Amino acid sequence: MELLDVIQKICQKNYAAMAPTDLVIGTVVSASPLQISLSAAMAPLNESVLYLTSAVVPKTLSSLSHSHGMENLEHRHTLGDSDTDSALEGEHQTAAALEQVVCTENGVPLPADGSITLNRGLGVGDKVLLLRVQRGQKFVVLSRVYGLKKEAV
């Protein structure tokens, strides 16, 4: 083996040992405090080494429903290109439209509670895609992963 080949192999092994970035799948084992397990052989990752992206933090929109306490209250509602300027009393029409909205995740309806769920928080058993950074000292939680079998860790 030539010296150049030996040096290249040493560099490749050194680079692999640094593990600058790597995609891994983990399983949420605790939601509060957040803990994610990568394998049964190692301790779960704690919140202190996890960076969450917007795809995995809870986000909801409150219901747009509201009522007017006084009859013939003059005011305007604007939504996109349409608006109302007539006297409104009782429940605003938007509430009826929102009652028909069904939020789903991976084809499963989410519980309806008068709000619209954009993202639910991470829950026990969720499979997540992580990006390992800083030689495995920190992990970015990119998103949930579907289609993988949930297994106890």
Side-chain angles (χ1 to χ4, degrees), residues 65-145:
S65 169
H66 65 279
S67 58
H68 304 277
M70 301 188 311
E71 289 185 29
N72 299 321
L73 178 64
E74 293 286 337
H75 71 285
R76 181 180 301 269
H77 292 265
T78 303
L79 182 61
D81 294 333
S82 63
D83 64 4
T84 61
D85 58 2
S86 60
L88 298 172
E89 101 181 58
E91 199 79 13
H92 190 322
Q93 299 167 359
T94 308
L98 286 177
E99 288 174 3
Q100 298 175 15
V101 173
V102 176
C103 299
T104 63
E105 180 181 71
N106 198 30
V108 177
L110 295 171
D113 62 359
S115 62
I116 297 174
T117 302
L118 300 176
N119 283 344
R120 66 172 178 81
L122 292 173
V124 173
D126 283 345
K127 295 289 188 181
V128 291
L129 180 64
L130 300 108
L131 178 66
R132 180 177 26 214
V133 294
Q134 295 182 355
R135 296 184 180 158
Q137 302 302 307
K138 299 282 183 177
F139 292 80
V140 180
V141 184
L142 298 172
S143 67
R144 284 181 193 81
V145 179

Side-chain angles (χ1 to χ4, degrees), residues 8-57:
Q8 285 178 336
K9 285 190 181 204
I10 290 171
C11 289
Q12 289 171 353
K13 288 182 180 183
N14 185 42
Y15 183 77
M18 288 187 331
T21 60
D22 193 15
L23 289 175
V24 292
I25 302 290
T27 303
V28 177
V29 293
S30 172
S32 183
L34 181 60
Q35 293 184 330
I36 298 175
S37 176
L38 299 181
S39 75
M42 69 184 275
L45 305 171
N46 294 316
E47 285 179 334
S48 62
V49 299
L50 299 172
Y51 295 114
L52 305 180
T53 61
S54 62
V56 296
V57 296

